[in-house]
Amino acid sequence: MQRASPPVRDITAIWEIARAGDLRGGAETARRAIVDARAAADRVNTAELHLVAAFCAMRQGEHAEALGELDAAARENASSGNHAGTALRIETWRAELAYFQGRYSEADDIVDRLILHLEEAGDLAYAAFALRIRMAILLARVDYNGIAALAERAIRVATASGDKYVMVQVYNVLGAAHFDRATSKLDAPHARAHLTSIDPRDAAPMEADAREALRLFESARDVAIAAHYEYAA
């Protein structure tokens, strides 16, 4: 019974392997831990481990595999009595997968259903991550004002969560939004593809957004380095 199930701290360590950029290692470690958790009939931990595997798969472009892992997590959670917090986390990753696949409306609908429940449940890391998904969708739709309306809330929730990975994600998407907005203000044809050759006088309209993008990217870098997420820095 001593190796009945991986303690939560071990699952956290497995998450950290994946978050630090070792996607293959994170997935392999998660799958080994799933075997132990299943042997112990620990369905809650098994579901969480499937989320690690799904995270790794979708970030390697293996969307069908990621969907299979999310479905497996949902089955494990249903077998354990449908733990509400786990169900919300599974749906958050479904939103992320829908975003990766370009199914923006579906991803947005999922976030709509989740965001208040996550905040009310006190799962601030996932609430902030859901906001990051929404901002990424808005960026894909070139809705800079929509992103600006969410920015302060996303930073506040991410900071309150204390989750460094989520903070990096939020800062990065906001930096990308400001950079994209900055380059959209260039008048010269094809200027975005030739930023280094632009005359400084022609770049004046983009300066404020470019400086804000730099500030946000530097904030993301600082948090990433402190948390040993060098790949994200």
Side-chain angles (χ1 to χ4, degrees), residues 132-155:
R132 199 279 300 169
I133 295 170
R134 169 155 287 170
M135 291 190 295
I137 293 166
L138 291 169
L139 179 56
R141 292 172 170 168
V142 201
D143 185 350
Y144 304 124
N145 291 334
I147 295 169
L150 291 174
E152 182 179 342
R153 178 185 178 190
I155 292 173

Side-chain angles (χ1 to χ4, degrees), residues 112-224:
D112 262 340
R113 296 197 305 269
L114 293 177
I115 188 65
L116 289 178
H117 293 298
L118 287 166
E119 288 189 287
E120 289 170 358
D123 198 345
L124 298 184
Y126 269 79
F129 192 70
L131 288 168
R132 199 279 300 169
I133 295 170
R134 169 155 287 170
M135 291 190 295
I137 293 166
L138 291 169
L139 179 56
R141 292 172 170 168
V142 201
D143 185 350
Y144 304 124
N145 291 334
I147 295 169
L150 291 174
E152 182 179 342
R153 178 185 178 190
I155 292 173
R156 183 180 69 251
V157 175
T159 303
S161 78
D163 190 308
K164 305 299 185 184
Y165 179 83
V166 174
M167 290 170 66
V168 172
Q169 293 289 310
V170 168
Y171 281 130
N172 271 339
V173 75
L174 288 171
H178 276 280
F179 184 75
D180 198 69
R181 187 171 194 166
T183 57
S184 73
K185 296 177 179 179
L186 296 170
D187 293 328
H190 312 298
R192 288 189 179 200
H194 305 283
L195 291 176
T196 57
S197 62
I198 294 173
D199 188 294
R201 291 168 296 182
D202 296 330
M206 68 180 284
E207 182 176 357
D209 275 304
R211 288 188 182 280
E212 181 62 7
L214 178 60
R215 185 187 72 81
L216 289 161
F217 284 137
E218 287 177 339
S219 295
R221 180 200 61 197
D222 291 345
V223 174

